[in-house]
mmCIF file of all heavy atoms in Angstrom:
data_model
loop_
_atom_site.group_PDB
_atom_site.id
_atom_site.type_symbol
_atom_site.label_atom_id
_atom_site.label_comp_id
_atom_site.label_asym_id
_atom_site.label_seq_id
_atom_site.Cartn_x
_atom_site.Cartn_y
_atom_site.Cartn_z
ATOM 1 N N PRO A 1 -93.975 15.440 -27.669
ATOM 2 C CA PRO A 1 -93.551 15.543 -26.272
ATOM 3 C C PRO A 1 -94.017 14.330 -25.469
ATOM 4 O O PRO A 1 -94.805 13.510 -25.945
ATOM 5 C CB PRO A 1 -94.267 16.809 -25.779
ATOM 6 C CG PRO A 1 -94.843 17.476 -26.992
ATOM 7 C CD PRO A 1 -95.033 16.398 -28.002
ATOM 8 N N LYS A 2 -93.564 14.265 -24.259
ATOM 9 C CA LYS A 2 -94.100 13.294 -23.328
ATOM 10 C C LYS A 2 -95.581 13.604 -23.100
ATOM 11 O O LYS A 2 -95.973 14.764 -23.004
ATOM 12 C CB LYS A 2 -93.344 13.347 -22.013
ATOM 13 C CG LYS A 2 -91.863 12.994 -22.133
ATOM 14 C CD LYS A 2 -91.118 13.269 -20.840
ATOM 15 C CE LYS A 2 -89.625 13.003 -21.009
ATOM 16 N NZ LYS A 2 -88.859 13.371 -19.796
ATOM 17 N N ALA A 3 -96.404 12.574 -23.001
ATOM 18 C CA ALA A 3 -97.851 12.771 -22.907
ATOM 19 C C ALA A 3 -98.242 13.603 -21.697
ATOM 20 O O ALA A 3 -99.195 14.394 -21.756
ATOM 21 C CB ALA A 3 -98.563 11.422 -22.863
ATOM 22 N N GLU A 4 -97.504 13.481 -20.622
ATOM 23 C CA GLU A 4 -97.849 14.239 -19.418
ATOM 24 C C GLU A 4 -97.516 15.722 -19.545
ATOM 25 O O GLU A 4 -97.937 16.535 -18.713
ATOM 26 C CB GLU A 4 -97.150 13.652 -18.185
ATOM 27 C CG GLU A 4 -95.638 13.692 -18.225
ATOM 28 C CD GLU A 4 -95.013 12.438 -18.820
ATOM 29 O OE1 GLU A 4 -95.706 11.741 -19.593
ATOM 30 O OE2 GLU A 4 -93.837 12.166 -18.508
ATOM 31 N N GLU A 5 -96.765 16.085 -20.569
ATOM 32 C CA GLU A 5 -96.378 17.493 -20.747
ATOM 33 C C GLU A 5 -97.259 18.224 -21.762
ATOM 34 O O GLU A 5 -97.593 19.396 -21.567
ATOM 35 C CB GLU A 5 -94.909 17.579 -21.170
ATOM 36 C CG GLU A 5 -93.966 17.118 -20.082
ATOM 37 C CD GLU A 5 -92.501 17.245 -20.455
ATOM 38 O OE1 GLU A 5 -92.183 17.367 -21.662
ATOM 39 O OE2 GLU A 5 -91.663 17.203 -19.541
ATOM 40 N N CYS A 6 -97.616 17.580 -22.847
ATOM 41 C CA CYS A 6 -98.499 18.207 -23.835
ATOM 42 C C CYS A 6 -99.005 17.145 -24.798
ATOM 43 O O CYS A 6 -98.237 16.304 -25.262
ATOM 44 C CB CYS A 6 -97.775 19.309 -24.611
ATOM 45 S SG CYS A 6 -98.879 20.367 -25.570
ATOM 46 N N LYS A 7 -100.304 17.221 -25.120
ATOM 47 C CA LYS A 7 -100.934 16.167 -25.913
ATOM 48 C C LYS A 7 -101.266 16.579 -27.342
ATOM 49 O O LYS A 7 -101.672 15.727 -28.143
ATOM 50 C CB LYS A 7 -102.213 15.698 -25.218
ATOM 51 C CG LYS A 7 -101.994 14.990 -23.885
ATOM 52 C CD LYS A 7 -103.310 14.540 -23.284
ATOM 53 C CE LYS A 7 -103.100 13.636 -22.070
ATOM 54 N NZ LYS A 7 -102.439 14.344 -20.962
ATOM 55 N N ASN A 8 -101.138 17.861 -27.687
ATOM 56 C CA ASN A 8 -101.521 18.277 -29.036
ATOM 57 C C ASN A 8 -100.491 19.190 -29.684
ATOM 58 O O ASN A 8 -100.817 20.106 -30.421
ATOM 59 C CB ASN A 8 -102.901 18.950 -29.033
ATOM 60 C CG ASN A 8 -102.928 20.255 -28.239
ATOM 61 O OD1 ASN A 8 -102.110 20.464 -27.346
ATOM 62 N ND2 ASN A 8 -103.879 21.125 -28.568
ATOM 63 N N LEU A 9 -99.231 18.916 -29.405
ATOM 64 C CA LEU A 9 -98.124 19.676 -29.981
ATOM 65 C C LEU A 9 -97.171 18.729 -30.681
ATOM 66 O O LEU A 9 -96.848 17.657 -30.152
ATOM 67 C CB LEU A 9 -97.380 20.447 -28.884
ATOM 68 C CG LEU A 9 -96.122 21.211 -29.319
ATOM 69 C CD1 LEU A 9 -96.489 22.397 -30.222
ATOM 70 C CD2 LEU A 9 -95.332 21.690 -28.098
ATOM 71 N N LEU A 10 -96.716 19.126 -31.869
ATOM 72 C CA LEU A 10 -95.687 18.382 -32.605
ATOM 73 C C LEU A 10 -94.543 19.335 -32.920
ATOM 74 O O LEU A 10 -94.765 20.529 -33.192
ATOM 75 C CB LEU A 10 -96.251 17.762 -33.875
ATOM 76 C CG LEU A 10 -97.359 16.732 -33.628
ATOM 77 C CD1 LEU A 10 -98.700 17.295 -34.057
ATOM 78 C CD2 LEU A 10 -97.078 15.413 -34.350
ATOM 79 N N VAL A 11 -93.313 18.796 -32.926
ATOM 80 C CA VAL A 11 -92.115 19.635 -33.030
ATOM 81 C C VAL A 11 -91.166 19.035 -34.068
ATOM 82 O O VAL A 11 -90.358 18.162 -33.749
ATOM 83 C CB VAL A 11 -91.412 19.749 -31.663
ATOM 84 C CG1 VAL A 11 -90.257 20.739 -31.738
ATOM 85 C CG2 VAL A 11 -92.399 20.170 -30.567
ATOM 86 N N PRO A 12 -91.243 19.483 -35.331
ATOM 87 C CA PRO A 12 -90.417 18.876 -36.382
ATOM 88 C C PRO A 12 -88.996 19.419 -36.490
ATOM 89 O O PRO A 12 -88.160 18.792 -37.135
ATOM 90 C CB PRO A 12 -91.204 19.202 -37.653
ATOM 91 C CG PRO A 12 -91.917 20.478 -37.328
ATOM 92 C CD PRO A 12 -92.256 20.388 -35.871
ATOM 93 N N ILE A 13 -88.700 20.578 -35.879
ATOM 94 C CA ILE A 13 -87.343 21.141 -35.964
ATOM 95 C C ILE A 13 -86.582 20.922 -34.666
ATOM 96 O O ILE A 13 -85.520 20.299 -34.656
ATOM 97 C CB ILE A 13 -87.385 22.634 -36.341
ATOM 98 C CG1 ILE A 13 -87.875 22.796 -37.780
ATOM 99 C CG2 ILE A 13 -85.995 23.266 -36.184
ATOM 100 C CD1 ILE A 13 -87.920 24.226 -38.270
ATOM 101 N N CYS A 14 -87.090 21.435 -33.565
ATOM 102 C CA CYS A 14 -86.433 21.255 -32.258
ATOM 103 C C CYS A 14 -86.835 19.916 -31.666
ATOM 104 O O CYS A 14 -87.245 19.817 -30.506
ATOM 105 C CB CYS A 14 -86.787 22.409 -31.337
ATOM 106 S SG CYS A 14 -86.214 24.018 -31.921
ATOM 107 N N LEU A 15 -86.687 18.872 -32.440
ATOM 108 C CA LEU A 15 -87.179 17.550 -32.070
ATOM 109 C C LEU A 15 -86.340 16.912 -30.972
ATOM 110 O O LEU A 15 -85.284 17.431 -30.590
ATOM 111 C CB LEU A 15 -87.232 16.651 -33.298
ATOM 112 C CG LEU A 15 -85.911 16.164 -33.900
ATOM 113 C CD1 LEU A 15 -86.149 14.922 -34.745
ATOM 114 C CD2 LEU A 15 -85.243 17.248 -34.752
ATOM 115 N N SER A 16 -86.797 15.780 -30.505
ATOM 116 C CA SER A 16 -86.150 15.062 -29.403
ATOM 117 C C SER A 16 -84.927 14.322 -29.939
ATOM 118 O O SER A 16 -85.041 13.282 -30.588
ATOM 119 C CB SER A 16 -87.143 14.082 -28.768
ATOM 120 O OG SER A 16 -86.580 13.415 -27.680
ATOM 121 N N SER A 17 -83.763 14.876 -29.640
ATOM 122 C CA SER A 17 -82.527 14.353 -30.220
ATOM 123 C C SER A 17 -81.353 14.784 -29.368
ATOM 124 O O SER A 17 -81.344 15.871 -28.795
ATOM 125 C CB SER A 17 -82.356 14.899 -31.643
ATOM 126 O OG SER A 17 -81.062 14.636 -32.139
ATOM 127 N N SER A 18 -80.352 13.943 -29.312
ATOM 128 C CA SER A 18 -79.097 14.358 -28.692
ATOM 129 C C SER A 18 -78.379 15.323 -29.624
ATOM 130 O O SER A 18 -78.688 15.418 -30.817
ATOM 131 C CB SER A 18 -78.205 13.150 -28.412
ATOM 132 O OG SER A 18 -77.627 12.654 -29.615
ATOM 133 N N HIS A 19 -77.401 16.021 -29.077
ATOM 134 C CA HIS A 19 -76.607 16.940 -29.889
ATOM 135 C C HIS A 19 -75.949 16.219 -31.060
ATOM 136 O O HIS A 19 -75.905 16.740 -32.180
ATOM 137 C CB HIS A 19 -75.544 17.607 -29.009
ATOM 138 C CG HIS A 19 -74.424 18.238 -29.764
ATOM 139 N ND1 HIS A 19 -74.572 19.395 -30.507
ATOM 140 C CD2 HIS A 19 -73.118 17.864 -29.914
ATOM 141 C CE1 HIS A 19 -73.414 19.711 -31.068
ATOM 142 N NE2 HIS A 19 -72.526 18.802 -30.727
ATOM 143 N N VAL A 20 -75.459 15.017 -30.824
ATOM 144 C CA VAL A 20 -74.760 14.279 -31.888
ATOM 145 C C VAL A 20 -75.721 13.949 -33.018
ATOM 146 O O VAL A 20 -75.451 14.242 -34.194
ATOM 147 C CB VAL A 20 -74.122 12.991 -31.337
ATOM 148 C CG1 VAL A 20 -73.429 12.223 -32.462
ATOM 149 C CG2 VAL A 20 -73.126 13.322 -30.244
ATOM 150 N N ALA A 21 -76.853 13.347 -32.701
ATOM 151 C CA ALA A 21 -77.809 12.983 -33.744
ATOM 152 C C ALA A 21 -78.330 14.220 -34.457
ATOM 153 O O ALA A 21 -78.514 14.220 -35.684
ATOM 154 C CB ALA A 21 -78.968 12.197 -33.133
ATOM 155 N N TYR A 22 -78.543 15.283 -33.716
ATOM 156 C CA TYR A 22 -79.086 16.513 -34.310
ATOM 157 C C TYR A 22 -78.130 17.102 -35.331
ATOM 158 O O TYR A 22 -78.563 17.748 -36.303
ATOM 159 C CB TYR A 22 -79.368 17.541 -33.210
ATOM 160 C CG TYR A 22 -80.295 18.650 -33.648
ATOM 161 C CD1 TYR A 22 -81.674 18.477 -33.608
ATOM 162 C CD2 TYR A 22 -79.798 19.865 -34.103
ATOM 163 C CE1 TYR A 22 -82.527 19.485 -34.014
ATOM 164 C CE2 TYR A 22 -80.642 20.872 -34.511
ATOM 165 C CZ TYR A 22 -82.007 20.679 -34.465
ATOM 166 O OH TYR A 22 -82.853 21.680 -34.881
ATOM 167 N N SER A 23 -76.840 16.876 -35.168
ATOM 168 C CA SER A 23 -75.865 17.446 -36.104
ATOM 169 C C SER A 23 -76.031 16.871 -37.504
ATOM 170 O O SER A 23 -75.583 17.469 -38.486
ATOM 171 C CB SER A 23 -74.437 17.205 -35.604
ATOM 172 O OG SER A 23 -74.065 15.842 -35.730
ATOM 173 N N SER A 24 -76.713 15.745 -37.619
ATOM 174 C CA SER A 24 -77.025 15.166 -38.920
ATOM 175 C C SER A 24 -78.462 15.454 -39.348
ATOM 176 O O SER A 24 -78.723 15.797 -40.507
ATOM 177 C CB SER A 24 -76.807 13.645 -38.870
ATOM 178 O OG SER A 24 -77.343 13.009 -40.012
ATOM 179 N N ILE A 25 -79.376 15.350 -38.411
ATOM 180 C CA ILE A 25 -80.799 15.546 -38.724
ATOM 181 C C ILE A 25 -81.086 16.958 -39.183
ATOM 182 O O ILE A 25 -82.001 17.205 -39.977
ATOM 183 C CB ILE A 25 -81.657 15.202 -37.481
ATOM 184 C CG1 ILE A 25 -81.540 13.715 -37.143
ATOM 185 C CG2 ILE A 25 -83.127 15.567 -37.703
ATOM 186 C CD1 ILE A 25 -82.141 13.345 -35.786
ATOM 187 N N ARG A 26 -80.304 17.948 -38.746
ATOM 188 C CA ARG A 26 -80.645 19.367 -38.809
ATOM 189 C C ARG A 26 -80.651 19.992 -40.212
ATOM 190 O O ARG A 26 -80.566 21.214 -40.341
ATOM 191 C CB ARG A 26 -79.663 20.157 -37.944
ATOM 192 C CG ARG A 26 -78.221 20.110 -38.469
ATOM 193 C CD ARG A 26 -77.271 20.990 -37.658
ATOM 194 N NE ARG A 26 -75.942 20.993 -38.234
ATOM 195 C CZ ARG A 26 -75.553 21.780 -39.223
ATOM 196 N NH1 ARG A 26 -76.410 22.637 -39.755
ATOM 197 N NH2 ARG A 26 -74.328 21.716 -39.699
ATOM 198 N N MET A 27 -80.798 19.225 -41.247
ATOM 199 C CA MET A 27 -80.782 19.766 -42.601
ATOM 200 C C MET A 27 -82.199 20.107 -43.067
ATOM 201 O O MET A 27 -83.169 19.421 -42.727
ATOM 202 C CB MET A 27 -80.124 18.771 -43.559
ATOM 203 C CG MET A 27 -78.742 18.334 -43.105
ATOM 204 S SD MET A 27 -77.610 19.728 -42.810
ATOM 205 C CE MET A 27 -76.388 19.016 -41.737
ATOM 206 N N GLU A 28 -82.317 21.158 -43.866
ATOM 207 C CA GLU A 28 -83.624 21.683 -44.244
ATOM 208 C C GLU A 28 -84.532 20.657 -44.928
ATOM 209 O O GLU A 28 -85.723 20.585 -44.604
ATOM 210 C CB GLU A 28 -83.469 22.927 -45.119
ATOM 211 C CG GLU A 28 -82.912 24.135 -44.382
ATOM 212 C CD GLU A 28 -83.861 24.720 -43.345
ATOM 213 O OE1 GLU A 28 -85.093 24.589 -43.520
ATOM 214 O OE2 GLU A 28 -83.381 25.309 -42.363
ATOM 215 N N PRO A 29 -84.049 19.839 -45.877
ATOM 216 C CA PRO A 29 -84.961 18.856 -46.475
ATOM 217 C C PRO A 29 -85.519 17.867 -45.448
ATOM 218 O O PRO A 29 -86.658 17.402 -45.596
ATOM 219 C CB PRO A 29 -84.084 18.145 -47.514
ATOM 220 C CG PRO A 29 -83.010 19.118 -47.833
ATOM 221 C CD PRO A 29 -82.730 19.833 -46.553
ATOM 222 N N VAL A 30 -84.743 17.553 -44.414
ATOM 223 C CA VAL A 30 -85.235 16.665 -43.360
ATOM 224 C C VAL A 30 -86.296 17.382 -42.535
ATOM 225 O O VAL A 30 -87.374 16.832 -42.265
ATOM 226 C CB VAL A 30 -84.080 16.181 -42.462
ATOM 227 C CG1 VAL A 30 -84.600 15.264 -41.359
ATOM 228 C CG2 VAL A 30 -83.021 15.464 -43.285
ATOM 229 N N TYR A 31 -86.002 18.625 -42.124
ATOM 230 C CA TYR A 31 -87.014 19.407 -41.413
ATOM 231 C C TYR A 31 -88.327 19.434 -42.198
ATOM 232 O O TYR A 31 -89.412 19.305 -41.635
ATOM 233 C CB TYR A 31 -86.551 20.850 -41.248
ATOM 234 C CG TYR A 31 -85.439 21.122 -40.273
ATOM 235 C CD1 TYR A 31 -84.691 22.301 -40.385
ATOM 236 C CD2 TYR A 31 -85.136 20.267 -39.216
ATOM 237 C CE1 TYR A 31 -83.683 22.613 -39.490
ATOM 238 C CE2 TYR A 31 -84.129 20.571 -38.318
ATOM 239 C CZ TYR A 31 -83.396 21.747 -38.462
ATOM 240 O OH TYR A 31 -82.401 22.064 -37.575
ATOM 241 N N MET A 32 -88.235 19.646 -43.501
ATOM 242 C CA MET A 32 -89.434 19.769 -44.329
ATOM 243 C C MET A 32 -90.235 18.473 -44.337
ATOM 244 O O MET A 32 -91.465 18.478 -44.207
ATOM 245 C CB MET A 32 -89.030 20.188 -45.744
ATOM 246 C CG MET A 32 -88.431 21.593 -45.812
ATOM 247 S SD MET A 32 -87.510 21.920 -47.338
ATOM 248 C CE MET A 32 -88.853 22.151 -48.499
ATOM 249 N N GLN A 33 -89.543 17.357 -44.483
ATOM 250 C CA GLN A 33 -90.240 16.067 -44.466
ATOM 251 C C GLN A 33 -90.857 15.781 -43.099
ATOM 252 O O GLN A 33 -91.959 15.230 -43.010
ATOM 253 C CB GLN A 33 -89.265 14.964 -44.868
ATOM 254 C CG GLN A 33 -88.826 15.068 -46.323
ATOM 255 C CD GLN A 33 -87.732 14.081 -46.665
ATOM 256 O OE1 GLN A 33 -87.997 12.997 -47.176
ATOM 257 N NE2 GLN A 33 -86.489 14.427 -46.377
ATOM 258 N N LEU A 34 -90.170 16.177 -42.051
ATOM 259 C CA LEU A 34 -90.731 16.001 -40.710
ATOM 260 C C LEU A 34 -91.917 16.935 -40.489
ATOM 261 O O LEU A 34 -92.854 16.597 -39.758
ATOM 262 C CB LEU A 34 -89.653 16.227 -39.649
ATOM 263 C CG LEU A 34 -88.460 15.265 -39.690
ATOM 264 C CD1 LEU A 34 -87.484 15.576 -38.566
ATOM 265 C CD2 LEU A 34 -88.910 13.808 -39.623
ATOM 266 N N GLY A 35 -91.888 18.100 -41.132
ATOM 267 C CA GLY A 35 -93.043 18.989 -41.074
ATOM 268 C C GLY A 35 -94.270 18.345 -41.704
ATOM 269 O O GLY A 35 -95.388 18.430 -41.171
ATOM 270 N N GLN A 36 -94.089 17.681 -42.841
ATOM 271 C CA GLN A 36 -95.200 16.973 -43.473
ATOM 272 C C GLN A 36 -95.714 15.861 -42.568
ATOM 273 O O GLN A 36 -96.931 15.673 -42.417
ATOM 274 C CB GLN A 36 -94.773 16.391 -44.817
ATOM 275 C CG GLN A 36 -95.899 15.634 -45.514
ATOM 276 C CD GLN A 36 -95.554 15.239 -46.947
ATOM 277 O OE1 GLN A 36 -94.555 15.672 -47.506
ATOM 278 N NE2 GLN A 36 -96.404 14.414 -47.554
ATOM 279 N N ALA A 37 -94.799 15.133 -41.943
ATOM 280 C CA ALA A 37 -95.207 14.049 -41.052
ATOM 281 C C ALA A 37 -95.988 14.587 -39.853
ATOM 282 O O ALA A 37 -96.997 14.002 -39.438
ATOM 283 C CB ALA A 37 -93.977 13.277 -40.583
ATOM 284 N N ALA A 38 -95.526 15.703 -39.295
ATOM 285 C CA ALA A 38 -96.198 16.290 -38.139
ATOM 286 C C ALA A 38 -97.617 16.719 -38.489
ATOM 287 O O ALA A 38 -98.566 16.471 -37.731
ATOM 288 C CB ALA A 38 -95.391 17.476 -37.612
ATOM 289 N N ALA A 39 -97.786 17.374 -39.643
ATOM 290 C CA ALA A 39 -99.115 17.816 -40.062
ATOM 291 C C ALA A 39 -100.036 16.634 -40.342
ATOM 292 O O ALA A 39 -101.232 16.674 -40.033
ATOM 293 C CB ALA A 39 -98.998 18.705 -41.297
ATOM 294 N N THR A 40 -99.495 15.595 -40.926
ATOM 295 C CA THR A 40 -100.287 14.398 -41.200
ATOM 296 C C THR A 40 -100.772 13.773 -39.892
ATOM 297 O O THR A 40 -101.946 13.400 -39.766
ATOM 298 C CB THR A 40 -99.448 13.375 -41.996
ATOM 299 O OG1 THR A 40 -98.971 13.992 -43.198
ATOM 300 C CG2 THR A 40 -100.269 12.154 -42.344
ATOM 301 N N ALA A 41 -99.884 13.687 -38.925
ATOM 302 C CA ALA A 41 -100.271 13.123 -37.626
ATOM 303 C C ALA A 41 -101.331 13.984 -36.949
ATOM 304 O O ALA A 41 -102.279 13.461 -36.343
ATOM 305 C CB ALA A 41 -99.041 13.005 -36.728
ATOM 306 N N ALA A 42 -101.193 15.299 -37.061
ATOM 307 C CA ALA A 42 -102.178 16.201 -36.458
ATOM 308 C C ALA A 42 -103.552 15.986 -37.080
ATOM 309 O O ALA A 42 -104.574 15.925 -36.379
ATOM 310 C CB ALA A 42 -101.732 17.647 -36.629
ATOM 311 N N ALA A 43 -103.592 15.872 -38.404
ATOM 312 C CA ALA A 43 -104.869 15.659 -39.090
ATOM 313 C C ALA A 43 -105.492 14.328 -38.702
ATOM 314 O O ALA A 43 -106.712 14.224 -38.493
ATOM 315 C CB ALA A 43 -104.658 15.728 -40.602
#
């Protein structure tokens, strides 16, 4: 998120994307890889 809104939250599925880009990103293997990235960043 924007830093002024939240500093310790990551969002691998409902990510920051336009409707057009999301229509491609929205596949499960991509969500899964973004989940790994989010957890790595949190750690």
